[in-house]
Amino acid sequence: MPGGRLTDEDRRTIAEGLAEGLGYAGIGRRLGRPASTVLREVTRNGGPEGYRADRARESTRDRARRRRQERPPEPTAPEDAHGRDPRQLREFEEFFTGLLERQGLPRMAARVLARLCLADSGAATAAELVRRLRVSPASVSSAVNFLEQQGMVRRERTPGERRERYVLGDDIWRRSALAALRMNEELIAATRRGVEVLGPATPAGARFDSSAEFLLLMSEALHLVLDRWREREAR
């Protein structure tokens, strides 16, 4: 079927086409498939001179078997020890990840943050995140770097161990608010500078001036919230 996996008959057609001296495009027309599909099949299985239908079939099966064997097992939720329902946990993790994405986090950063939020320890090593999320170490590293810049995750190293742990901490949203406050204050300074450069009487300058006023109100509100939280913690 066009677009599906190659069948034994498809492979015999490819072998016959190669024997006749047809190009990949010509063989693809016989199969009703793109030339690129034929090219990949031939390249993976001996090239134009060494392609054999039966050998290609066995090689494809061997590759599929190896992928199944190398695929890491479905991660189990450590929270199961508390009697929680693994299915509900997975569903909530997906829901919470989607919510974080809608709040503006990149997909991988949202996945890492959701996993740390759901872990009772609030922490994980890179290897644990790779295994749990079934992604590459590079993806985890990029996501952690982003979250660290936002003040949402910090790195810790247990004395005597080489591996770092990425730690959520109980004050994640306070630290996130502090990071947002710092960014907001940088924007205030930039918009005020924009008013000076553009001139307050110009349309562009007026927009910058209005933006600066709004951002200043946001900063004041964030300062108020953080002060109230500090008072609550002190009590």
Side-chain angles (χ1 to χ4, degrees):
M1 169 173 124
R5 294 180 179 178
L6 291 170
T7 64
D8 291 346
E9 182 62 33
D10 291 336
R11 293 190 173 92
R12 283 192 289 271
T13 300
I14 291 173
E16 291 169 1
L18 291 171
E20 294 172 19
L22 291 178
Y24 297 134
I27 297 173
R29 282 193 292 272
R30 283 189 180 181
L31 295 173
R33 293 174 179 269
S36 58
T37 299
V38 180
L39 172 61
R40 283 194 301 272
E41 168 69 11
V42 173
T43 302
R44 288 175 178 173
N45 297 290
E49 302 299 324
Y51 185 85
R52 301 291 183 274
D54 55 348
R55 190 182 304 161
R57 181 185 67 246
E58 292 304 317
S59 295
T60 300
R61 288 178 178 174
D62 287 342
R63 283 194 296 270
R65 191 179 303 114
R66 285 196 300 272
R67 282 195 296 270
R68 286 195 297 270
Q69 292 172 346
E70 293 168 1
R71 185 178 300 150
E74 187 69 24
T76 57
E79 296 85 354
D80 292 354
H82 296 279
R84 298 163 180 162
D85 184 336
R87 181 183 58 81
Q88 288 185 348
L89 284 171
R90 285 194 298 270
E91 289 175 355
F92 180 73
E93 185 169 347
E94 291 174 5
F95 163 78
F96 194 58
T97 298
L99 176 62
L100 293 172
E101 280 190 274
R102 292 194 294 275
Q103 297 297 317
L105 284 184
R107 170 67 177 170
M108 188 51 59
R111 293 189 68 194
V112 168
L113 184 59
R115 176 85 303 266
L116 293 176
C117 284
L118 267 67
D120 284 316
S121 64
T125 64
E128 288 168 345
L129 289 170
V130 166
R131 185 169 60 253
R132 175 73 193 195
L133 301 177
R134 307 180 76 172
V135 295
S136 69
S139 297
V140 168
S141 178
S142 296
V144 169
N145 286 339
F146 176 87
L147 293 170
E148 194 174 25
Q149 290 169 5
Q150 303 303 310
M152 306 180 86
V153 168
R154 68 178 185 274
R155 300 169 190 258
E156 284 185 358
R157 180 167 290 166
T158 303
E161 293 187 7
R162 297 179 59 187
R163 292 187 304 174
E164 287 184 327
R165 296 169 75 242
Y166 307 133
V167 182
L168 186 66
D170 295 332
D171 60 345
I172 171 179
W173 304 118
R174 183 187 67 82
R175 286 187 282 116
S176 178
L178 284 170
L181 182 59
R182 287 192 293 270
M183 176 60 72
N184 208 53
E185 289 174 347
E186 289 180 14
L187 285 170
I188 291 170
T191 51
R192 283 175 170 168
R193 175 60 180 157
V195 174
E196 295 174 5
V197 171
L198 295 164
T202 66
R207 284 197 302 273
F208 269 82
D209 193 33
S210 177
S211 297
E213 290 182 11
F214 177 77
L215 292 168
L216 184 60
L217 286 173
M218 283 187 61
S219 281
E220 290 174 354
L222 279 171
H223 274 296
L224 179 60
V225 169
L226 290 167
D227 287 343
R228 290 183 62 184
W229 181 256
R230 279 191 288 267
E231 291 173 3
R232 176 178 171 177
E233 289 293 286
R235 292 198 300 268

